[in-house]
């Protein structure tokens, strides 16, 4: 039986207790017997429009208390296979991106070195660079599955190199990503110029707009993702603005014409079989949310991240050969 489990909602009501993701134990001393750790990075100093994503981790945790251990779509009781905790939040330095990177890298590197998969709650998308730096030290250049309305590959914004629109260009420049194993899905909305998306392609990324996704189909897109990123360690970064603002209004840079909440969940569910070493869910902005619509979706997407970890462990246990029995 896994050691670290959510509290039993048949014993204590969901509205009781300190808010952690899925009511997992709050444990700051990471240990090798943990499969994953929920880690908040409440920082929004890289935002270019609406601010407030620093309150995203809190909102996602609050919405997550409705989640239950059996994933009916994937047909797995996830905590039969995995054990994990809510670490709480990394220390951040409000208003100072590079100092925040240094502090968060320490926590994320500790998790990676222990074999724990970090599942990060943001925060704006600038935080992903710190995650990639930490995981690169452990795993080398990473593949990337990136769901977003924006490619985040500008060279600078307001002459600043670090913000939520430059993350993945910096990651390539620092050698954190293997561009041949990077795929971006969901790009849409008005651009500053015709070359905006070509900047990502020039970095070596495979890029699909939301219109491409509709044309290709969701099942075929999952196959394209797998063909692109396998083999090797992979990071999944999910910006909630990938989803249409009708289903996720609480975000910093909304773009109309996105996917539905069901379609977003289906895409993530299809990614079983990819060796993910880290996940993040970013850009949830509670002050623009209504009735927890965005944070509920975000919590459910993170739940699907945990399910992917559980499925991978389940499949490894099935595939592990039995020890040979000596003959009498």
């Amino acid at each position: 039986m896994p050691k670290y489990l959510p509290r039993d909602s048949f014993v204590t009501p969901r509205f009781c207790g300190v808010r952690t993701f899925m009511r997992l134990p709050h444990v700051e001393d990471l240990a090798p017997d943990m499969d994953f750790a929920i880690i908040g990075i409440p920082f929004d100093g890289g935002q270019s429009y609406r601010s407030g994503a620093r309150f995203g981790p809190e909102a996602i945790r609050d919405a997550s208390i409705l989640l239950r251990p059996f994933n009916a779509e994937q047909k797995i009781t996830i905590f039969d296979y995995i054990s994990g905790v809510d670490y709480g939040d990394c220390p951040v330095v409000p208003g100072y991106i590079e100092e925040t990177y240094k502090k968060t890298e320490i926590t994320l590197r500790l998790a990676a070195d222990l074999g724990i998969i970090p599942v990060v709650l943001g925060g704006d998308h600038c935080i992903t660079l710190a995650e990639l730096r930490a995981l690169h030290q452990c795993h080398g250049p990473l593949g990337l599955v990136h769901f977003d309305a924006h490619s985040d590959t500008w060279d600078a914004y307001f002459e600043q190199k670090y913000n939520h629109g430059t993350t993945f260009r910096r990651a390539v420049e620092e050698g954190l990503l293997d561009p041949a194993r990077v795929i971006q899905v969901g790009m849409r909305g008005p651009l500053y110029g015709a070359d905006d998306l070509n900047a990502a392609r020039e970095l070596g990324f495979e890029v699909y707009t939301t219109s491409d996704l509709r044309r290709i189909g969701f099942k075929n897109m999952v196959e394209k993702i797998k063909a692109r990123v396998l083999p090797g360690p992979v990071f999944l970064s999910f910006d909630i603005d990938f989803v249409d603002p009708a289903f996720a209004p609480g975000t910093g840079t909304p773009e109309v014409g996105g996917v539905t909440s069901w379609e977003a969940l289906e895409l993530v569910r299809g990614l079983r079989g990819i060796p993910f070493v880290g996940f993040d869910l970013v850009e949830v902005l509670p002050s623009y949310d209504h009735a927890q619509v965005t944070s509920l979706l975000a919590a459910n997407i993170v739940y699907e991240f945990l399910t992917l970890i559980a499925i991978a462990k389940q499949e490894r246990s099935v595939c592990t050969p039995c020890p040979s029995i000596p003959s009498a």
Side-chain angles (χ1 to χ4, degrees):
M1 173 67 68
K3 180 178 179 181
Y4 303 98
L5 302 170
R7 296 180 71 179
D8 187 344
S9 294
F10 284 106
V11 177
T12 59
R14 291 189 180 89
F15 50 79
C16 293
V18 176
R19 287 291 189 263
T20 61
F21 191 85
M22 281 191 76
R23 309 184 76 204
L24 287 162
H26 177 209
V27 179
E28 293 182 318
D29 295 324
L30 298 177
D33 57 354
M34 301 171 184
D35 296 297
F36 71 90
I38 301 291
I39 301 173
I41 306 182
F43 183 81
D44 59 6
Q47 277 282 4
S48 59
Y49 184 47
R50 296 173 176 171
S51 61
R54 67 182 64 183
F55 300 109
E58 175 186 354
I60 297 168
R61 287 182 171 113
D62 188 50
S64 75
I65 62 173
L66 285 171
L67 297 169
R68 301 170 182 88
F70 179 68
N71 187 320
E73 297 294 330
Q74 298 280 40
K75 295 180 172 52
I76 183 172
T77 302
I78 60 178
F79 295 104
D80 283 353
Y81 298 95
I82 58 173
S83 176
V85 302
D86 191 324
Y87 172 85
D89 293 340
C90 288
V92 299
V93 185
Y96 295 89
I97 293 177
E98 293 178 75
E99 287 75 9
T100 293
Y101 285 167
K102 293 174 185 176
K103 288 182 175 290
T104 57
E105 283 173 47
I106 294 171
T107 300
L108 295 166
R109 175 65 192 276
L110 173 60
D113 285 346
L114 291 169
I116 300 168
I117 297 176
V119 180
V120 171
L121 314 178
D124 73 53
H125 222 155
C126 79
I127 66 170
T128 303
L129 185 60
E131 300 170 63
L132 295 174
R133 286 175 175 173
L135 291 169
H136 174 267
Q137 294 178 55
C138 185
H139 300 285
L142 301 165
L144 173 69
V145 179
H146 176 203
F147 295 114
D148 202 328
H150 314 96
S151 68
D152 298 344
T153 52
W154 288 337
D155 181 53
Y157 198 64
F158 292 103
E159 301 181 352
Q160 300 303 308
K161 292 287 189 179
Y162 299 102
N163 57 70
H164 73 159
T166 64
T167 298
F168 298 107
R169 179 175 290 275
R170 297 289 90 79
V172 170
E173 292 171 349
E174 295 180 21
L176 311 179
L177 296 175
D178 175 2
R181 294 198 302 117
V182 173
I183 186 166
Q184 298 183 313
V185 181
M187 312 298 110
R188 68 184 188 278
L191 303 172
Y192 287 108
D195 291 333
D196 275 12
L197 288 184
N198 287 334
R201 295 185 176 106
E202 288 169 0
L203 290 172
F205 298 176
E206 191 170 332
V207 181
Y208 293 95
T209 65
T210 299
S211 295
D212 293 331
L213 173 60
R214 295 284 186 198
R215 174 177 52 81
I216 293 167
F218 289 78
K219 182 177 180 180
N220 290 333
M221 182 56 71
V222 166
E223 295 309 311
K224 285 184 176 293
I225 290 170
K226 292 180 179 179
R228 179 69 175 182
V229 302
L230 294 172
V234 182
F235 185 85
L236 195 163
S237 188
F238 195 112
D239 188 324
I240 202 67
D241 71 26
F242 171 72
V243 182
D244 190 278
F247 301 89
T251 191
T253 317
E255 303 285 357
V256 301
V259 304
T260 69
S261 55
W262 182 86
E263 289 167 338
L265 291 167
E266 278 294 286
L267 275 173
V268 176
R269 289 170 185 150
L271 301 181
R272 56 195 300 163
I274 297 176
F276 289 112
V277 296
F279 301 83
D280 71 17
L281 189 294
V282 299
E283 301 279 357
V284 171
L285 203 165
S287 60
Y288 281 84
D289 206 2
H290 312 293
Q292 292 188 301
V293 171
T294 311
S295 53
L296 280 166
L297 174 58
N300 276 270
I301 291 168
V302 173
Y303 175 71
E304 296 298 338
F305 294 168
L306 300 185
T307 302
L308 291 175
I309 298 171
I311 290 171
K313 192 164 184 181
Q314 178 193 45
E315 291 176 347
R316 285 196 301 271
S317 66
V318 170
C319 295
T320 302
C322 296
S324 57
I325 301 174
S327 58

